[in-house]
Amino acid sequence: MDVPKEFLFVDESGDPGVAGNPVYLLVGLHLAEPALDQVRRHITAFRYHHEVVREFKVQRWADKLSPQSRHLLEFLADLTDAGQITTTANWLRKDVYRRGGGPHLAGPGQTWRFRHYQLRRLLERHIDRRVWSEELDLVIDRWRMTPELRKNLEDYLRGNYKLRPSIATITLVDSVYADPIQVVDIYGRLARRIVEGRAAAGEVALGKRLMDLTEVTGGLY
C-alpha cells in the first residue's frame, strides 16, 4: 500500500535577531496530499471570486478578519476540525525568552542558529500532536542560506531522534509561487494579533480552531 505524501508548510513572522519586532513566531501547517488537493481547489476559487492575483501578504485584507480572510480561513478551519489539517504555532517574546535562559545571537550571520533551533522546537512539539510518515516534505518559506547552512539544517533535523520517521525532503520555496506558504503567512498574522492582544473575539475564536498556539519561554541550544 502506497504511503500518501504529506506536507508541512512553515513560515516565520518577525525578525530572528535582537532588532525588529519583539515577538517572534513560527507556524507549521501539516496536511496529506488529499487534503492539499481540497485546499488547492479552495484557493483557486477564492482567487477567482475575490480577484486576487498577487501574493496574499500584499493585500489590504490580509491584516484583519475581513470578508476575504474569513472566506479563506473558515474553510481551512473546517478541515482542521475534521482532522485533515493540523497546525502548530510557537511564539516567544524576545526579552522574556532571554530571561528564561534562551540565548539570542545578535551578530551578523549568527541568527541562523536561533532560527534552526526554533524550527526544531516547533517540529518536536508538532510531532507530539500529529505523527508524520516517511513521505513528509518539510516546505519552508525561503530563508537566505548558503549551501553549507542548508546542509547544517538538514543534518540538524535528520539527526534529531525525536523527529522520527526522518523527514524525507526539506524544500525551500519562495512564497510568490507557493500558495500554501502564503496561507501560513496569514495564520502568522492572525497569531500575532492574538498574542499581542490586538485580536477581536471572533479572531481569537477562529485562531483556536485553526492552530495550537503556545509561548516558548526559554531553551538552550
Side-chain angles (χ1 to χ4, degrees):
M1 181 176 177
D2 291 337
V3 177
K5 291 183 179 179
E6 295 180 63
F7 303 88
L8 179 53
F9 298 96
V10 175
D11 191 22
E12 70 176 354
S13 173
D15 188 332
V18 170
N21 197 298
V23 171
Y24 179 79
L25 276 148
L26 270 179
V27 182
L29 184 153
H30 183 180
L31 73 178
E33 194 166 15
L36 180 59
D37 290 342
Q38 294 185 63
V39 172
R40 284 196 191 103
R41 285 194 292 269
H42 174 63
I43 292 175
T44 299
F46 173 84
R47 284 189 174 279
Y48 174 79
H49 287 294
H50 294 284
E51 298 182 339
V52 177
V53 177
R54 300 184 65 197
E55 279 190 276
F56 294 157
K57 67 182 180 183
V58 302
Q59 309 296 322
R60 291 183 178 179
W61 52 261
D63 288 315
K64 56 186 177 182
L65 191 56
S66 60
Q68 295 94 328
S69 60
R70 186 181 293 278
H71 180 195
L72 177 68
L73 295 177
E74 286 186 343
F75 176 82
L76 302 173
D78 290 342
L79 289 182
T80 302
D81 292 342
Q84 296 187 63
I85 294 177
T86 305
T87 303
T88 304
N90 282 0
W91 70 280
L92 60 88
R93 203 174 300 276
K94 294 175 185 177
D95 57 345
V96 173
Y97 183 74
R98 286 195 297 273
R99 292 199 302 272
H104 194 89
L105 302 181
Q110 292 297 307
T111 54
W112 65 270
R113 295 180 183 272
F114 171 80
R115 182 184 263 153
H116 289 187
Y117 176 68
Q118 294 305 329
L119 177 58
R120 190 195 98 193
R121 292 285 297 270
L122 177 75
L123 296 176
E124 287 178 350
R125 192 164 80 82
H126 180 78
I127 200 170
D128 286 339
R129 302 186 61 234
R130 177 169 176 172
V131 176
W132 55 66
S133 75
E134 62 270 21
E135 291 297 324
L136 178 76
D137 187 349
L138 175 63
V139 185
I140 306 171
D141 190 15
R142 183 179 295 158
W143 301 329
R144 291 186 178 180
M145 278 193 223
T146 63
E148 291 77 17
L149 287 183
R150 173 165 180 159
K151 185 177 186 304
N152 175 278
L153 175 61
E154 292 177 347
D155 292 345
Y156 181 56
L157 296 181
R158 289 184 175 131
N160 185 335
Y161 288 96
K162 294 182 180 179
L163 305 179
R164 290 290 182 269
S166 182
I167 297 167
T169 308
I170 299 174
T171 306
L172 305 180
V173 300
D174 190 321
S175 61
V176 168
Y177 56 76
D179 279 351
I181 288 291
Q182 295 180 39
V183 168
V184 180
D185 176 78
I186 299 295
Y187 277 48
R189 291 164 188 254
L190 174 59
R192 178 172 293 280
R193 293 197 297 277
I194 292 171
V195 302
E196 292 179 348
R198 298 184 289 110
E203 291 180 296
V204 174
L206 182 58
K208 287 180 178 179
R209 290 182 64 199
L210 289 168
M211 65 190 112
D212 185 297
L213 180 60
T214 296
E215 181 180 10
V216 178
T217 57
L220 297 174
Y221 295 123

